[in-house]
Amino acid sequence: MKCLILAAGYATRLYPLTEHFPKPLLAVGGKPIVDWLIDDLAKLPVIDGFIIVTNHRFIQHFEAWRAHKSAACPQEIAVLDDGTTANEDRLGAVRDMSLAIDALGLADDLLVTAGDNVLDFSLSGFVAFAQEKRAPCVMCHEELELRRQQKTAIITVDERQRITSYEEKPLHPRGNLAVPPFYYYRACDAARVQEALAAGCNGDAPGSFAAWLSQRTPMYAYRMPGKRYDVGDIASYEHVQRVFAQK
């Protein structure tokens, strides 16, 4: 299984911090945000490689980071440049997935994540859940505020945690289970990304492929056992810095 980390955004809400520097490499608790993810997953024997998709503006930062990080990571780390240089011409998360699959000829199961989230729990439980289900999976958590529900993906599930509906940014949500950007796809699922894009799947939002796929194959949801810190703006970055400084 490969871990594909989506890190090609421009983080305009974090300017000036990210005007010339990638958000996933900002420090939290003494190390880059993306290191929290990699250090956790590198302990799992099932993970045999990491792939980071970034943009042309930040590729040199990631290459410099990789030169240092590779010495401490037992798995190979690949960094891909998606060729974009500005927020206005970004490919989007699903197109970046497609780029990585095609450029590297990937035929592996994929754990797909955003590179700008910090977790206070291990992803090992999610990986084990996905392997047990032998089906594509997402993570989820309860979101009780309607305003927040309308800005994210919302799912409903049955008693076996199988997804029964999946909506991106619904005006009138059917449930209160929000889906953060953490997904597991079997190799046969990942091979359908181009099919999804050709069928009109939104290429920008990372959850749009999962939503499309949920209509075509059984998909399951894993309840997050802890908290996720989404670094979206200056205030949220300062907050997660304070939390992890105390840890």
Side-chain angles (χ1 to χ4, degrees), residues 185-210:
Y185 300 116
R186 301 165 300 178
C188 61
D189 305 316
R192 303 187 69 179
V193 172
Q194 278 290 355
E195 177 190 350
L197 289 170
C201 174
N202 180 352
D204 193 23
S208 59
F209 175 62

PDB file of all heavy atoms in Angstrom, residues 185-210:
ATOM      1  N   TYR A 185      -8.356   3.482  -0.896  1.00  0.00           N
ATOM      2  CA  TYR A 185      -8.858   2.916  -2.144  1.00  0.00           C
ATOM      3  C   TYR A 185      -8.071   1.669  -2.491  1.00  0.00           C
ATOM      4  O   TYR A 185      -6.834   1.659  -2.420  1.00  0.00           O
ATOM      5  CB  TYR A 185      -8.702   3.923  -3.301  1.00  0.00           C
ATOM      6  CG  TYR A 185      -9.439   5.211  -3.104  1.00  0.00           C
ATOM      7  CD1 TYR A 185      -8.742   6.424  -2.994  1.00  0.00           C
ATOM      8  CD2 TYR A 185     -10.822   5.234  -3.030  1.00  0.00           C
ATOM      9  CE1 TYR A 185      -9.416   7.623  -2.816  1.00  0.00           C
ATOM     10  CE2 TYR A 185     -11.508   6.430  -2.843  1.00  0.00           C
ATOM     11  CZ  TYR A 185     -10.802   7.621  -2.733  1.00  0.00           C
ATOM     12  OH  TYR A 185     -11.474   8.799  -2.543  1.00  0.00           O
ATOM     13  N   ARG A 186      -8.786   0.622  -2.872  1.00  0.00           N
ATOM     14  CA  ARG A 186      -8.106  -0.545  -3.443  1.00  0.00           C
ATOM     15  C   ARG A 186      -7.524  -0.155  -4.801  1.00  0.00           C
ATOM     16  O   ARG A 186      -7.920   0.845  -5.397  1.00  0.00           O
ATOM     17  CB  ARG A 186      -9.097  -1.700  -3.610  1.00  0.00           C
ATOM     18  CG  ARG A 186      -9.777  -2.155  -2.330  1.00  0.00           C
ATOM     19  CD  ARG A 186     -10.980  -3.028  -2.642  1.00  0.00           C
ATOM     20  NE  ARG A 186     -11.966  -2.301  -3.435  1.00  0.00           N
ATOM     21  CZ  ARG A 186     -13.105  -2.826  -3.888  1.00  0.00           C
ATOM     22  NH1 ARG A 186     -13.390  -4.107  -3.625  1.00  0.00           N
ATOM     23  NH2 ARG A 186     -13.941  -2.103  -4.596  1.00  0.00           N
ATOM     24  N   ALA A 187      -6.594  -0.956  -5.276  1.00  0.00           N
ATOM     25  CA  ALA A 187      -5.981  -0.662  -6.577  1.00  0.00           C
ATOM     26  C   ALA A 187      -7.046  -0.564  -7.666  1.00  0.00           C
ATOM     27  O   ALA A 187      -6.972   0.315  -8.544  1.00  0.00           O
ATOM     28  CB  ALA A 187      -4.954  -1.738  -6.924  1.00  0.00           C
ATOM     29  N   CYS A 188      -8.057  -1.433  -7.610  1.00  0.00           N
ATOM     30  CA  CYS A 188      -9.107  -1.411  -8.638  1.00  0.00           C
ATOM     31  C   CYS A 188      -9.967  -0.155  -8.549  1.00  0.00           C
ATOM     32  O   CYS A 188     -10.519   0.306  -9.557  1.00  0.00           O
ATOM     33  CB  CYS A 188      -9.975  -2.666  -8.543  1.00  0.00           C
ATOM     34  SG  CYS A 188     -10.837  -2.871  -6.965  1.00  0.00           S
ATOM     35  N   ASP A 189     -10.074   0.428  -7.348  1.00  0.00           N
ATOM     36  CA  ASP A 189     -10.804   1.690  -7.190  1.00  0.00           C
ATOM     37  C   ASP A 189      -9.987   2.854  -7.741  1.00  0.00           C
ATOM     38  O   ASP A 189     -10.507   3.699  -8.487  1.00  0.00           O
ATOM     39  CB  ASP A 189     -11.110   1.957  -5.710  1.00  0.00           C
ATOM     40  CG  ASP A 189     -11.859   0.825  -5.044  1.00  0.00           C
ATOM     41  OD1 ASP A 189     -12.811   0.316  -5.659  1.00  0.00           O
ATOM     42  OD2 ASP A 189     -11.493   0.452  -3.918  1.00  0.00           O
ATOM     43  N   ALA A 190      -8.713   2.901  -7.365  1.00  0.00           N
ATOM     44  CA  ALA A 190      -7.842   3.986  -7.814  1.00  0.00           C
ATOM     45  C   ALA A 190      -7.734   4.026  -9.329  1.00  0.00           C
ATOM     46  O   ALA A 190      -7.581   5.104  -9.929  1.00  0.00           O
ATOM     47  CB  ALA A 190      -6.463   3.833  -7.183  1.00  0.00           C
ATOM     48  N   ALA A 191      -7.841   2.863  -9.966  1.00  0.00           N
ATOM     49  CA  ALA A 191      -7.752   2.792 -11.424  1.00  0.00           C
ATOM     50  C   ALA A 191      -8.942   3.463 -12.113  1.00  0.00           C
ATOM     51  O   ALA A 191      -8.919   3.666 -13.331  1.00  0.00           O
ATOM     52  CB  ALA A 191      -7.655   1.331 -11.865  1.00  0.00           C
ATOM     53  N   ARG A 192      -9.972   3.847 -11.342  1.00  0.00           N
ATOM     54  CA  ARG A 192     -11.172   4.442 -11.924  1.00  0.00           C
ATOM     55  C   ARG A 192     -11.179   5.976 -11.852  1.00  0.00           C
ATOM     56  O   ARG A 192     -12.184   6.601 -12.213  1.00  0.00           O
ATOM     57  CB  ARG A 192     -12.412   3.890 -11.230  1.00  0.00           C
ATOM     58  CG  ARG A 192     -12.541   2.378 -11.281  1.00  0.00           C
ATOM     59  CD  ARG A 192     -13.870   1.879 -10.742  1.00  0.00           C
ATOM     60  NE  ARG A 192     -14.977   2.237 -11.617  1.00  0.00           N
ATOM     61  CZ  ARG A 192     -16.256   1.900 -11.371  1.00  0.00           C
ATOM     62  NH1 ARG A 192     -16.558   1.208 -10.284  1.00  0.00           N
ATOM     63  NH2 ARG A 192     -17.206   2.267 -12.201  1.00  0.00           N
ATOM     64  N   VAL A 193     -10.086   6.576 -11.398  1.00  0.00           N
ATOM     65  CA  VAL A 193     -10.068   8.034 -11.255  1.00  0.00           C
ATOM     66  C   VAL A 193     -10.304   8.717 -12.599  1.00  0.00           C
ATOM     67  O   VAL A 193     -11.101   9.669 -12.702  1.00  0.00           O
ATOM     68  CB  VAL A 193      -8.740   8.508 -10.629  1.00  0.00           C
ATOM     69  CG1 VAL A 193      -8.641  10.027 -10.674  1.00  0.00           C
ATOM     70  CG2 VAL A 193      -8.630   8.022  -9.196  1.00  0.00           C
ATOM     71  N   GLN A 194      -9.639   8.260 -13.659  1.00  0.00           N
ATOM     72  CA  GLN A 194      -9.836   8.863 -14.972  1.00  0.00           C
ATOM     73  C   GLN A 194     -11.283   8.690 -15.443  1.00  0.00           C
ATOM     74  O   GLN A 194     -11.864   9.597 -16.051  1.00  0.00           O
ATOM     75  CB  GLN A 194      -8.868   8.253 -15.990  1.00  0.00           C
ATOM     76  CG  GLN A 194      -7.480   8.856 -15.966  1.00  0.00           C
ATOM     77  CD  GLN A 194      -7.457  10.284 -16.510  1.00  0.00           C
ATOM     78  OE1 GLN A 194      -8.456  10.811 -17.000  1.00  0.00           O
ATOM     79  NE2 GLN A 194      -6.306  10.929 -16.408  1.00  0.00           N
ATOM     80  N   GLU A 195     -11.851   7.526 -15.175  1.00  0.00           N
ATOM     81  CA  GLU A 195     -13.254   7.284 -15.535  1.00  0.00           C
ATOM     82  C   GLU A 195     -14.159   8.288 -14.826  1.00  0.00           C
ATOM     83  O   GLU A 195     -15.096   8.842 -15.428  1.00  0.00           O
ATOM     84  CB  GLU A 195     -13.644   5.859 -15.143  1.00  0.00           C
ATOM     85  CG  GLU A 195     -15.102   5.516 -15.394  1.00  0.00           C
ATOM     86  CD  GLU A 195     -15.521   4.191 -14.770  1.00  0.00           C
ATOM     87  OE1 GLU A 195     -14.645   3.432 -14.304  1.00  0.00           O
ATOM     88  OE2 GLU A 195     -16.743   3.920 -14.737  1.00  0.00           O
ATOM     89  N   ALA A 196     -13.873   8.532 -13.549  1.00  0.00           N
ATOM     90  CA  ALA A 196     -14.679   9.476 -12.775  1.00  0.00           C
ATOM     91  C   ALA A 196     -14.567  10.887 -13.337  1.00  0.00           C
ATOM     92  O   ALA A 196     -15.570  11.591 -13.492  1.00  0.00           O
ATOM     93  CB  ALA A 196     -14.244   9.449 -11.308  1.00  0.00           C
ATOM     94  N   LEU A 197     -13.352  11.322 -13.659  1.00  0.00           N
ATOM     95  CA  LEU A 197     -13.161  12.656 -14.216  1.00  0.00           C
ATOM     96  C   LEU A 197     -13.879  12.802 -15.554  1.00  0.00           C
ATOM     97  O   LEU A 197     -14.512  13.830 -15.833  1.00  0.00           O
ATOM     98  CB  LEU A 197     -11.667  12.944 -14.373  1.00  0.00           C
ATOM     99  CG  LEU A 197     -10.886  13.162 -13.072  1.00  0.00           C
ATOM    100  CD1 LEU A 197      -9.394  13.185 -13.344  1.00  0.00           C
ATOM    101  CD2 LEU A 197     -11.327  14.456 -12.384  1.00  0.00           C
ATOM    102  N   ALA A 198     -13.805  11.760 -16.376  1.00  0.00           N
ATOM    103  CA  ALA A 198     -14.471  11.795 -17.677  1.00  0.00           C
ATOM    104  C   ALA A 198     -15.988  11.860 -17.528  1.00  0.00           C
ATOM    105  O   ALA A 198     -16.686  12.407 -18.388  1.00  0.00           O
ATOM    106  CB  ALA A 198     -14.076  10.573 -18.498  1.00  0.00           C
ATOM    107  N   ALA A 199     -16.484  11.324 -16.403  1.00  0.00           N
ATOM    108  CA  ALA A 199     -17.926  11.310 -16.159  1.00  0.00           C
ATOM    109  C   ALA A 199     -18.412  12.599 -15.500  1.00  0.00           C
ATOM    110  O   ALA A 199     -19.597  12.717 -15.186  1.00  0.00           O
ATOM    111  CB  ALA A 199     -18.290  10.112 -15.284  1.00  0.00           C
ATOM    112  N   GLY A 200     -17.491  13.546 -15.273  1.00  0.00           N
ATOM    113  CA  GLY A 200     -17.887  14.825 -14.709  1.00  0.00           C
ATOM    114  C   GLY A 200     -17.596  15.007 -13.239  1.00  0.00           C
ATOM    115  O   GLY A 200     -18.049  15.987 -12.630  1.00  0.00           O
ATOM    116  N   CYS A 201     -16.850  14.090 -12.637  1.00  0.00           N
ATOM    117  CA  CYS A 201     -16.471  14.219 -11.233  1.00  0.00           C
ATOM    118  C   CYS A 201     -15.675  15.511 -11.027  1.00  0.00           C
ATOM    119  O   CYS A 201     -14.770  15.821 -11.808  1.00  0.00           O
ATOM    120  CB  CYS A 201     -15.631  13.005 -10.818  1.00  0.00           C
ATOM    121  SG  CYS A 201     -14.938  13.090  -9.161  1.00  0.00           S
ATOM    122  N   ASN A 202     -15.997  16.250 -10.004  1.00  0.00           N
ATOM    123  CA  ASN A 202     -15.284  17.485  -9.679  1.00  0.00           C
ATOM    124  C   ASN A 202     -13.813  17.168  -9.422  1.00  0.00           C
ATOM    125  O   ASN A 202     -13.483  16.397  -8.518  1.00  0.00           O
ATOM    126  CB  ASN A 202     -15.918  18.124  -8.436  1.00  0.00           C
ATOM    127  CG  ASN A 202     -15.245  19.418  -8.013  1.00  0.00           C
ATOM    128  OD1 ASN A 202     -14.208  19.805  -8.541  1.00  0.00           O
ATOM    129  ND2 ASN A 202     -15.859  20.095  -7.058  1.00  0.00           N
ATOM    130  N   GLY A 203     -12.914  17.765 -10.196  1.00  0.00           N
ATOM    131  CA  GLY A 203     -11.504  17.449 -10.058  1.00  0.00           C
ATOM    132  C   GLY A 203     -10.806  18.167  -8.935  1.00  0.00           C
ATOM    133  O   GLY A 203      -9.654  17.873  -8.624  1.00  0.00           O
ATOM    134  N   ASP A 204     -11.483  19.125  -8.301  1.00  0.00           N
ATOM    135  CA  ASP A 204     -10.843  19.960  -7.292  1.00  0.00           C
ATOM    136  C   ASP A 204     -10.949  19.375  -5.889  1.00  0.00           C
ATOM    137  O   ASP A 204      -9.951  19.172  -5.215  1.00  0.00           O
ATOM    138  CB  ASP A 204     -11.451  21.360  -7.330  1.00  0.00           C
ATOM    139  CG  ASP A 204     -10.628  22.370  -6.542  1.00  0.00           C
ATOM    140  OD1 ASP A 204      -9.419  22.131  -6.344  1.00  0.00           O
ATOM    141  OD2 ASP A 204     -11.191  23.393  -6.119  1.00  0.00           O
ATOM    142  N   ALA A 205     -12.165  19.112  -5.423  1.00  0.00           N
ATOM    143  CA  ALA A 205     -12.377  18.639  -4.052  1.00  0.00           C
ATOM    144  C   ALA A 205     -11.930  17.190  -3.904  1.00  0.00           C
ATOM    145  O   ALA A 205     -12.341  16.331  -4.693  1.00  0.00           O
ATOM    146  CB  ALA A 205     -13.843  18.768  -3.672  1.00  0.00           C
ATOM    147  N   PRO A 206     -11.103  16.872  -2.906  1.00  0.00           N
ATOM    148  CA  PRO A 206     -10.604  15.498  -2.763  1.00  0.00           C
ATOM    149  C   PRO A 206     -11.704  14.474  -2.525  1.00  0.00           C
ATOM    150  O   PRO A 206     -11.597  13.326  -2.942  1.00  0.00           O
ATOM    151  CB  PRO A 206      -9.653  15.586  -1.562  1.00  0.00           C
ATOM    152  CG  PRO A 206     -10.082  16.805  -0.814  1.00  0.00           C
ATOM    153  CD  PRO A 206     -10.573  17.765  -1.853  1.00  0.00           C
ATOM    154  N   GLY A 207     -12.788  14.887  -1.865  1.00  0.00           N
ATOM    155  CA  GLY A 207     -13.863  13.944  -1.569  1.00  0.00           C
ATOM    156  C   GLY A 207     -14.788  13.653  -2.729  1.00  0.00           C
ATOM    157  O   GLY A 207     -15.626  12.747  -2.636  1.00  0.00           O
ATOM    158  N   SER A 208     -14.649  14.387  -3.824  1.00  0.00           N
ATOM    159  CA  SER A 208     -15.578  14.194  -4.940  1.00  0.00           C
ATOM    160  C   SER A 208     -15.416  12.819  -5.577  1.00  0.00           C
ATOM    161  O   SER A 208     -16.395  12.214  -6.031  1.00  0.00           O
ATOM    162  CB  SER A 208     -15.407  15.298  -5.984  1.00  0.00           C
ATOM    163  OG  SER A 208     -14.081  15.319  -6.478  1.00  0.00           O
ATOM    164  N   PHE A 209     -14.187  12.301  -5.621  1.00  0.00           N
ATOM    165  CA  PHE A 209     -13.999  10.962  -6.170  1.00  0.00           C
ATOM    166  C   PHE A 209     -14.625   9.916  -5.256  1.00  0.00           C
ATOM    167  O   PHE A 209     -15.272   8.968  -5.720  1.00  0.00           O
ATOM    168  CB  PHE A 209     -12.523  10.649  -6.384  1.00  0.00           C
ATOM    169  CG  PHE A 209     -12.265   9.238  -6.840  1.00  0.00           C
ATOM    170  CD1 PHE A 209     -12.774   8.771  -8.043  1.00  0.00           C
ATOM    171  CD2 PHE A 209     -11.530   8.355  -6.050  1.00  0.00           C
ATOM    172  CE1 PHE A 209     -12.558   7.458  -8.469  1.00  0.00           C
ATOM    173  CE2 PHE A 209     -11.311   7.048  -6.459  1.00  0.00           C
ATOM    174  CZ  PHE A 209     -11.817   6.600  -7.664  1.00  0.00           C
ATOM    175  N   ALA A 210     -14.460  10.081  -3.952  1.00  0.00           N
ATOM    176  CA  ALA A 210     -15.072   9.145  -3.007  1.00  0.00           C
ATOM    177  C   ALA A 210     -16.594   9.167  -3.140  1.00  0.00           C
ATOM    178  O   ALA A 210     -17.247   8.118  -3.105  1.00  0.00           O
ATOM    179  CB  ALA A 210     -14.654   9.478  -1.571  1.00  0.00           C
TER     180      ALA A 210
END
